[in-house]
Amino acid sequence: MLFKQQALLRQKLFVLGSLAIGSLLYLVARVGSLDRLQPLCPIDSRFGLRGQDEIPLRALQFKRGLLHEFRKGNATKEQIRLHNLVQQLPKAIIIGVRKGGTRALLEMLNLHPAVVKASQEIHFFDNDENYAKGIEWYRKKMPFSYPHQITIEKSPAYFITEEVPERIYKMNSSIKLLIIVREPTTRAISDYTQVLEGKERKNKTYYKFEKLAIDPNTCEVNTKYKAVRTSIYTKHLERWLKYFPIEQFHIVDGDRLITEPLPELQLVEKFLNLPPRISQYNLYFNATRGFYCLRFNIVFNKCLAGSKGRIHPEVDTSVITKLRKFFHPFNQKFYQITGRTFNWP
């Protein structure tokens, strides 16, 4: 009886073992056939590519971590070649205006998966020493990107520097130019506030805004003061229009970008011929900071630096009134040239 039970047990084990071996051989054969069916490039498989120009935009959220590593210099030439990344000259530049919201605009546009931003202000076209280094030096300052993406840089000094329009024209006569503006008097006070803060950090004294903005000899607006001069938008724009048609400019409302950013960003998407990808999901109001922050995905959020949104010093109301009256005719001309009207006093 005992021998019969042992024989039966051995028979069952043999059958189970045969089934296990057979299943294992089938799986090996199946995996082997699947491997042969896989695309040669694992990157293609991950993105579902059929060709270089068919990368789905949403899949390019992958760029956030990957391109960051390349920007830090943590990539080999082989990795760059494998991922088909390049350093491209910008196809759009935020040329100004200083204290108009250029950093906020750049960071918000970077929410779009087809946009790659230059993190630092390059100051290529407004700096003679940098410009003398040549266009290849400039290109090497650009971030890595996929060929179909567009690179954007911002240097607010471009807008007011006399040589810049011609220099940019020589690089790319069809480039798209973004100008973000705020109410001119508010922008001038913001400009002053930033300089004042820098002086205070160095324990230096600085004149009051009123003394700088108003000529003490004539009691008129001091157009030699840079903060005032920068706010005469039409004077600077006219110099740019000698090289570029108005169609290559897009004017962004910097005041509205603070309070209601999405409509302004959608207008920029359209101007840059980008498919609409930035949504209200990407923008959330931070009550503590008092302005909108950015949501790239469920994990990664970003707010602008604490230096943004500085509290302005109190300015004599008569000086504010005088400045607004001074800027008014220039503002009217600016509206006429650009075709965009603002509710500036």
Side-chain angles (χ1 to χ4, degrees), residues 132-200:
K133 294 175 183 177
I135 201 72
E136 189 61 18
W137 177 88
Y138 180 56
R139 188 177 68 82
K140 291 292 185 181
K141 292 291 182 181
M142 295 299 128
F144 285 96
S145 62
Y146 292 101
H148 81 285
Q149 291 177 306
I150 68 169
T151 298
I152 299 179
E153 78 122 323
K154 74 103 174 174
S155 294
Y158 289 169
F159 185 59
I160 63 171
T161 305
E162 190 172 341
E163 299 84 4
V164 171
E166 182 179 5
R167 289 174 174 179
I168 292 181
Y169 180 84
K170 287 179 178 178
M171 178 191 73
N172 182 358
S173 62
S174 61
I175 196 165
K176 297 200 171 186
L177 304 165
L178 294 164
I179 305 172
I180 180 166
V181 294
R182 296 188 68 192
E183 191 276 313
T185 301
T186 303
R187 194 223 63 82
I189 296 172
S190 181
D191 199 329
Y192 166 83
T193 304
Q194 178 171 309
V195 175
L196 175 65
E197 185 180 279
K199 296 284 186 183
E200 290 176 341

Side-chain angles (χ1 to χ4, degrees), residues 8 68 71 86 109 116 123 129 136 141 143-144 158 168 196 201 221 243 272 288 308 317-318 321 323 345:
L8 184 60
H68 178 64
R71 282 196 293 272
V86 291
L109 289 178
V116 179
H123 288 287
E129 185 178 340
E136 189 61 18
K141 292 291 182 181
F144 285 96
Y158 289 169
I168 292 181
L196 175 65
R201 279 200 305 266
V221 172
Y243 295 91
L272 297 177
T288 304
K308 304 301 177 184
T317 54
S318 66
T321 300
L323 284 168

Side-chain angles (χ1 to χ4, degrees), residues 38-76:
Q38 294 299 315
L40 293 177
C41 176
I43 301 298
D44 290 358
S45 175
R46 187 183 314 153
F47 285 124
L49 299 185
R50 296 296 179 271
Q52 176 177 308
D53 297 327
E54 297 181 17
I55 302 176
L57 284 175
R58 191 46 53 188
L60 288 173
Q61 292 297 344
F62 172 73
K63 78 184 173 97
R64 300 297 176 192
L66 179 64
L67 297 184
H68 178 64
E69 292 301 311
F70 289 124
R71 282 196 293 272
K72 292 193 300 182
N74 297 340
T76 64

Side-chain angles (χ1 to χ4, degrees), residues 101-333:
T102 57
R103 173 55 61 182
L105 177 60
L106 182 67
E107 296 292 343
M108 289 178 177
L109 289 178
N110 195 50
L111 288 165
H112 199 293
V115 170
V116 179
K117 68 178 175 72
S119 297
Q120 302 299 320
E121 293 180 9
I122 310 299
H123 288 287
F124 177 64
F125 297 103
D126 65 312
N127 184 299
D128 291 341
E129 185 178 340
N130 287 343
Y131 190 68
K133 294 175 183 177
I135 201 72
E136 189 61 18
W137 177 88
Y138 180 56
R139 188 177 68 82
K140 291 292 185 181
K141 292 291 182 181
M142 295 299 128
F144 285 96
S145 62
Y146 292 101
H148 81 285
Q149 291 177 306
I150 68 169
T151 298
I152 299 179
E153 78 122 323
K154 74 103 174 174
S155 294
Y158 289 169
F159 185 59
I160 63 171
T161 305
E162 190 172 341
E163 299 84 4
V164 171
E166 182 179 5
R167 289 174 174 179
I168 292 181
Y169 180 84
K170 287 179 178 178
M171 178 191 73
N172 182 358
S173 62
S174 61
I175 196 165
K176 297 200 171 186
L177 304 165
L178 294 164
I179 305 172
I180 180 166
V181 294
R182 296 188 68 192
E183 191 276 313
T185 301
T186 303
R187 194 223 63 82
I189 296 172
S190 181
D191 199 329
Y192 166 83
T193 304
Q194 178 171 309
V195 175
L196 175 65
E197 185 180 279
K199 296 284 186 183
E200 290 176 341
R201 279 200 305 266
K202 298 176 183 177
N203 295 317
K204 293 182 178 181
T205 58
Y206 195 49
Y207 295 110
K208 290 188 69 174
F209 176 78
E210 292 88 340
K211 190 170 184 178
L212 294 168
I214 304 299
D215 188 327
N217 297 318
T218 63
C219 292
E220 297 299 328
V221 172
N222 180 15
T223 55
K224 293 181 181 179
Y225 178 38
K226 189 176 180 179
V228 168
R229 210 166 56 245
T230 299
S231 285
I232 309 175
Y233 304 139
T234 185
K235 290 289 186 183
H236 306 293
L237 182 59
E238 284 173 343
R239 184 173 60 251
W240 284 85
L241 290 173
K242 293 176 183 177
Y243 295 91
F244 300 96
I246 194 63
E247 291 77 20
Q248 283 176 233
F249 295 87
H250 178 73
I251 311 300
V252 179
D253 186 340
D255 294 308
R256 192 184 184 202
L257 191 73
I258 296 170
T259 61
E260 197 180 0
L262 185 58
E264 286 298 317
L265 295 173
Q266 290 172 333
L267 290 173
V268 177
E269 283 180 320
K270 187 175 181 181
F271 172 70
L272 297 177
N273 295 321
L274 294 172
R277 290 293 183 274
I278 302 174
S279 69
Q280 196 60 56
Y281 169 81
N282 301 118
L283 303 158
Y284 67 96
F285 187 77
N286 185 312
T288 304
R289 288 178 173 266
F291 49 79
Y292 280 85
C293 294
L294 317 179
R295 182 185 289 115
F296 288 86
N297 51 48
I298 196 170
V299 176
F300 181 45
N301 298 342
K302 179 178 183 178
C303 287
L304 297 179
S307 61
K308 304 301 177 184
R310 296 179 180 89
I311 298 174
H312 293 176
E314 287 189 19
V315 176
D316 189 297
T317 54
S318 66
V319 171
I320 292 177
T321 300
K322 187 181 285 287
L323 284 168
R324 286 176 173 170
K325 185 177 180 181
F326 168 80
F327 287 125
H328 182 75
F330 296 111
N331 295 342
Q332 295 301 311
K333 191 171 184 180

